[in-house]
Amino acid sequence: MGKVPVLEDLPSVRGASVLVRTDFNVPMVDGRITDDLRIRLPLETLTWLLDQGAARVTTATHLGRPKGKLDPRFDVEPVRVRLHELLVDAGADAGRVDLLPNLRFDPREEAGDLTFAEELVAGQDLFVNDAFGAAHRAHASVVGPPRFRPSAAGRVMAREVEVLGGLLQQPRRPFVAVLGGSKVSDKLGVIEALLQRVDTLLVGGGMCFTFLAALGRSIGSSLYEPAQVGACRALLDSGADIRLPSDLVALSPGGRFGAGVEPSGQMRQVSADIPRDWMGLDIGPGTAAEFADAIGQGATIFWNGPMGVFEDPRFAAGTRTVAEAVAGTNGFTVVGGGDSAAALAELGLAERIDHVSTGGGASLEFLQHGDLPGLAALREGMHP
Ligand code: 3PG
Ligand code: MG
């Protein structure tokens, strides 16, 4: 992969109007921002541009999935207010910074329509993409502007590429990856790519049951993708060091689980064979200890995806043990965004991770393909 241009590669910033694509897609409850990390991180890029004398910095983001229509639930106003406060706190000239309306209110954004990109860059001299979390989307604001204006990656984007690219190029060994999450079909591509690089792959979460089924184990009524059994079997037969749970925590037939439901049913710790109609919802304590041990021996660790239904406290222990092991190890630790990043934040462990990616889907796609549409656009665009 060629070099992605960075801020220092831009032609004169002094006096320029700069469009900055950010990923301010923050979690919100009742119109209130519950975690502002995605607004905080790109401040470094914005203040750099201001310090270099940019006349105007116009930020633009998507928020949620309003599907190409104006929808007040996805109004960026709370983000605008928070951004302003953070800039003022940082001693920056907030008056020179603006935020456009939600990009996804326009159907041309997700359609990748270049006429929308041209409208976005009208009146702008330069483009900066700092939206790593959206760089896997070939949307108009992600891939379009570099065709029309000198462009560069912002600080957040550059750091993600450096760290995740480092995992692909020269990871210190042993390199241990831990994958969880519900669907193996979503992750097969990244599993295949990771197996070319890692020494050990630990598999938990809902996706472990399709692997266990491929080994002929009984999985009760656990999550299961019959169409993927063959692919899982082939991976297990490849000789790669793939470790699956040796014990699990299961819920009795008909029991209710998940966030915000009245919990019901009995829990039982079982071997990797699950009784009929019982449902596996977390890795067991034996597995959690084995995984923690393997993590502790890694020199490089990548983790994405919870080990169980951690939003239900009865099935949170496996994810907690893995999170603590990743936080406590001396190895270089990288965590993909999304649920695993949320679990770390909830446990107060995020500070102890070397790199928590701002992208969930984006970090996995980058590891799978070694590139993303947003990065390719910056490399190929009319950058200096
Ligand atoms: C995310 O939160 O995953 C990014 O902001 C991208 O959003 P999307 O998954 O709705 O494209
Ligand atoms: Mg996403």
Side-chain angles (χ1 to χ4, degrees):
M1 188 170 92
K3 199 179 155 318
V4 174
V6 295
L7 294 177
E8 284 75 8
D9 296 321
L10 288 170
S12 178
V13 173
R14 181 157 303 278
S17 294
V18 188
L19 176 68
V20 184
R21 174 55 158 108
T22 49
D23 181 355
F24 290 154
N25 187 24
V26 287
M28 304 227 285
V29 175
D30 299 329
R32 274 193 23 259
I33 297 167
T34 54
D35 177 6
D36 64 4
L37 187 71
R38 279 181 163 180
I39 310 177
R40 286 175 185 275
L41 290 175
L43 287 178
E44 193 184 338
T45 299
L46 306 182
T47 54
W48 186 89
L49 291 167
L50 294 171
D51 290 347
Q52 296 296 308
R56 215 154 42 85
V57 174
T58 303
T59 60
T61 185
H62 68 286
L63 181 66
R65 293 178 175 169
K67 307 243 162 69
K69 285 195 299 285
L70 204 149
D71 181 335
R73 288 175 302 163
F74 301 106
D75 190 338
V76 296
E77 190 53 29
V79 173
R80 182 177 288 118
V81 170
R82 189 72 193 120
L83 174 62
H84 187 87
E85 287 168 359
L86 289 168
L87 284 164
V88 170
D89 286 353
D93 180 5
R96 276 187 281 154
V97 182
D98 198 6
L99 173 64
L100 296 181
N102 191 339
L103 293 164
R104 290 188 184 168
F105 284 173
D106 193 311
R108 294 175 299 168
E109 166 66 355
E110 292 185 68
D113 185 332
L114 291 181
T115 65
F116 186 49
E118 272 186 287
E119 285 174 26
L120 290 172
V121 299
Q124 305 288 346
D125 302 304
L126 303 171
F127 174 67
V128 170
N129 189 347
D130 217 14
F132 177 75
H136 59 317
R137 309 283 184 213
H139 294 173
S141 68
V142 176
V143 298
R147 291 176 178 240
F148 306 117
R149 294 293 182 275
S151 299
R155 295 286 189 244
V156 173
M157 184 76 95
R159 201 176 304 125
E160 294 274 10
V161 171
E162 191 188 322
V163 173
L164 295 169
L167 293 187
L168 295 177
Q169 280 145 28
Q170 64 276 47
R172 283 178 47 223
R173 298 193 176 277
F175 181 4
V176 178
V178 193
L179 287 185
S182 50
K183 286 170 84 184
V184 73
S185 51
D186 289 346
K187 303 255 167 96
L188 272 177
V190 74
I191 291 173
E192 281 164 11
L194 279 173
L195 285 175
Q196 308 293 314
R197 310 254 196 269
V198 302
D199 299 291
T200 302
L201 174 67
L202 312 174
V203 179
M207 66 188 225
C208 77
F209 298 104
T210 305
F211 280 97
L212 291 172
L215 288 175
R217 298 276 165 69
S218 330
I219 56 163
S221 64
S222 309
L223 211 68
Y224 164 59
E225 288 176 275
Q228 308 304 334
V229 172
C232 290
R233 175 83 252 167
L235 290 171
L236 293 168
D237 285 345
S238 70
D241 183 12
I242 302 176
R243 305 204 193 154
L244 296 169
S246 55
D247 64 347
L248 295 148
V249 182
L251 181 67
S252 59
R256 278 192 307 268
F257 65 96
V261 303
E262 188 67 40
S264 70
Q266 297 168 288
M267 282 166 65
R268 193 192 288 172
Q269 195 185 311
V270 297
S271 70
D273 283 302
I274 296 187
R276 198 189 159 128
D277 295 332
W278 285 61
M279 188 184 280
L281 292 171
D282 192 13
I283 59 173
T287 303
E290 288 161 28
F291 282 13
D293 196 49
I295 290 164
Q297 287 172 30
T300 304
I301 295 97
F302 174 74
W303 174 35
N304 178 277
M307 297 292 104
V309 182
F310 80 100
E311 56 277 21
D312 184 323
R314 297 172 297 169
F315 307 107
T319 302
R320 190 183 318 119
T321 301
V322 162
E324 283 164 355
V326 176
T329 184
N330 289 326
F332 180 68
T333 51
V334 180
V335 174
D339 287 339
S340 13
L344 280 167
E346 214 176 290
L347 295 165
L349 297 172
E351 317 268 83
R352 291 169 58 196
I353 307 299
D354 290 301
H355 181 79
V356 180
S357 175
T358 51
S363 63
L364 292 181
E365 290 213 19
F366 182 82
L367 291 177
Q368 180 176 345
H369 302 292
D371 201 5
L372 293 172
L375 297 173
L378 288 173
R379 283 198 317 273
E380 292 154 17
M382 69 167 280
H383 59 79

